[in-house]
Amino acid sequence: MRSWHPLAVDVGITLLVQLAVTMPFVVPRDPRLPEATWISYAVTSLGVLPLVWRRRAPVTVLFVITGLQVLYRAALDGPGQPLPYAGLVGVYTVAMLSTLRQRIAVIAVGVPAIVVTVAFNTGQARELLFSLFTFFGAYALGTLTRTRQAFAAEAERRAAEQAVVRERARIAREMHDVLSHSVALMVVQAEAGPVAVRAAPERAEAAFDAIAGTGREAMVQLRRMLGVLREDAADPREPQPSVTALPALLERVEGSGLTVSYDTSGPIRSLPLDIEATVYRVVQEALTNVVKHAAADRVSVRLDYGSDTVDITVTDDGRGPGTSASRDGHGHGRGNGHGRGNGHGLVGIRERAAAHGGTARIGPGPGGKGFEVFVSLGVGR
């Protein structure tokens, strides 16, 4: 929805009120009524013009308008107005924008002024009640507008706070994925290094190169993510990993000693950026789970592109769920809360799938052997 500049709104209101107060000067008049002179019209117009500055000084504008209206009634015998339009807009603005002390002062001065004015005019209770009704009606409308704006500002503030919380949670998940994956690979490669030095020096050199490459890649990704916390970061979601980065990810995993296969089916196409990042992170976390807990020899990654979905399947031939200890004997099984299917990373996979209206199935592989992570994400048509 287009938002008009406040000055443009105030000029529009001023012109509208000017049109209203002009009506008695242009419509045919009974000859017995006071004559519509240019002087009386000029004073009437002067009583409208201050509305242009109503936001800058609401109380001052209201008192200037009121003073000119009193001057008109006292010094000129011109056409009257059905309603004090400019004054009512002034009261509305005071109730909407002024401080509590200023609002109380306007009521304290305005009500007695209305009583005195009516007494010098007709002195009738009907006019007094009508004048008080219009005064407090305008004041009530201004109060409602002020309250609505306050609620809107509070809702906007809460929405901004929730956005910050969501962004922090996203960054935390991204950092968890990067660190968990990279550190797991580096640990496995480092543990294999001493054995390889003695048995196959060329493999040891490759292992150390893989450790260095994994560490550099982790540093790059962490530097990117931590950059979003800087005040001068232009785009808090830039950059994000994508499906095109999967081959490099799988190559690093192969450096840990696993045999990794990668297949796709269906028409390969570009996906929305958030879906691309989710696909990468799901595969990354599933592979991290394999490296840390599976004691597997082989792992396969498959992407199936449907008409309005993309399915991710990561299957290994290692331990299935329900084991209580990992190969290195450090207790990374189900028994201590890090079992296959219970870890924070796999919970994160479910959360990522749910965030895109998808589903996640995590459990035994085909035939009850190994372990399989299956995620289906909706990507639209």
Side-chain angles (χ1 to χ4, degrees):
M1 181 180 295
R2 182 177 179 181
S3 178
W4 292 90
H5 191 281
L7 180 59
V9 173
D10 292 342
V11 170
I13 290 175
T14 303
L15 293 175
L16 184 62
V17 173
Q18 180 64 33
L19 177 63
V21 300
T22 301
M23 294 296 181
F25 289 89
V26 297
V27 297
R29 299 176 54 77
D30 189 316
R32 292 170 297 180
L33 294 176
E35 183 182 359
T37 63
W38 284 106
I39 294 178
S40 60
Y41 182 67
V43 175
T44 299
S45 299
L46 285 176
V48 175
L49 185 61
L51 290 178
V52 175
W53 297 278
R54 69 189 185 97
R55 295 178 196 266
R56 297 184 182 180
V59 175
T60 301
V61 166
L62 176 60
F63 279 108
V64 169
I65 290 173
T66 303
L68 288 169
Q69 289 176 346
V70 171
L71 174 65
Y72 183 87
R73 285 178 175 272
L76 297 172
D77 191 21
Q81 298 289 337
L83 285 171
Y85 302 105
L88 293 177
V89 173
V91 171
Y92 167 87
T93 305
V94 167
M96 180 178 67
L97 298 178
S98 297
T99 64
L100 176 61
R101 181 177 297 180
Q102 290 173 327
R103 298 196 301 270
I104 293 175
V106 166
I107 293 175
V109 174
V111 172
I114 291 173
V115 173
V116 172
T117 301
V118 171
F120 278 98
N121 190 25
T122 64
Q124 296 180 357
R126 179 179 179 179
E127 182 186 359
L128 177 62
L129 291 176
F130 180 76
S131 299
L132 291 175
F133 176 80
T134 55
F135 176 86
F136 284 106
Y139 188 90
L141 286 176
T143 301
L144 289 174
T145 302
R146 184 183 72 251
T147 303
R148 180 181 60 81
Q149 291 175 343
F151 276 118
E154 177 64 15
E156 185 176 350
R157 183 187 68 81
R158 289 182 179 275
E161 290 179 350
Q162 291 172 359
V164 170
V165 171
R166 288 194 299 269
E167 185 64 13
R168 287 175 177 173
R170 183 189 70 82
I171 294 173
R173 288 197 303 269
E174 298 291 320
M175 293 184 68
H176 168 272
D177 291 345
V178 171
L179 288 175
S180 178
H181 172 77
S182 300
V183 171
L185 288 182
M186 293 168 70
V187 168
V188 171
Q189 291 159 350
E191 288 178 343
V195 177
V197 166
R198 294 189 295 271
E202 67 282 358
R203 287 184 57 195
E205 183 178 351
F208 294 138
D209 287 342
I211 292 173
T214 302
R216 283 193 296 270
E217 177 65 20
M219 289 297 296
V220 169
Q221 294 197 46
L222 286 174
R223 197 174 295 118
R224 289 173 177 174
M225 284 184 291
L226 292 175
V228 307
L229 300 177
R230 300 199 333 248
E231 292 182 358
D232 59 345
D235 184 355
R237 300 191 66 83
E238 172 68 24
Q240 288 286 340
S242 65
V243 173
T244 58
L246 283 179
L249 172 66
L250 302 181
E251 183 178 350
R252 290 197 301 273
V253 173
E254 282 191 309
S256 68
L258 277 171
T259 300
V260 182
S261 64
Y262 177 46
D263 298 298
T264 62
S265 69
I268 299 176
R269 63 187 186 279
S270 297
L271 302 172
L273 294 180
D274 56 338
I275 297 293
E276 292 256 352
T278 297
V279 170
Y280 181 93
R281 293 305 186 197
V282 166
V283 173
Q284 183 184 54
E285 187 54 49
L287 291 175
T288 300
N289 185 63
V290 173
V291 171
K292 293 172 66 175
H293 306 305
D297 296 318
R298 303 180 62 87
V299 60
S300 66
V301 177
R302 182 180 182 86
L303 298 185
D304 298 304
Y305 291 85
S307 59
D308 56 359
T309 61
V310 59
D311 297 339
I312 311 157
T313 308
V314 181
T315 308
D316 66 69
D317 63 356
R319 292 191 199 86
T323 55
S324 59
S326 65
R327 174 172 53 185
D328 61 8
H330 291 295
H332 294 292
R334 177 180 293 273
N336 67 354
H338 296 283
R340 307 203 67 196
N342 274 356
H344 296 296
L346 298 181
V347 172
I349 288 177
R350 294 187 176 94
E351 292 176 350
R352 289 180 186 276
H356 295 285
T359 58
R361 186 176 66 247
I362 299 172
K369 298 179 181 180
F371 196 77
E372 183 175 88
V373 173
F374 173 82
V375 173
S376 181
L377 303 174
V379 296
R381 295 184 180 273

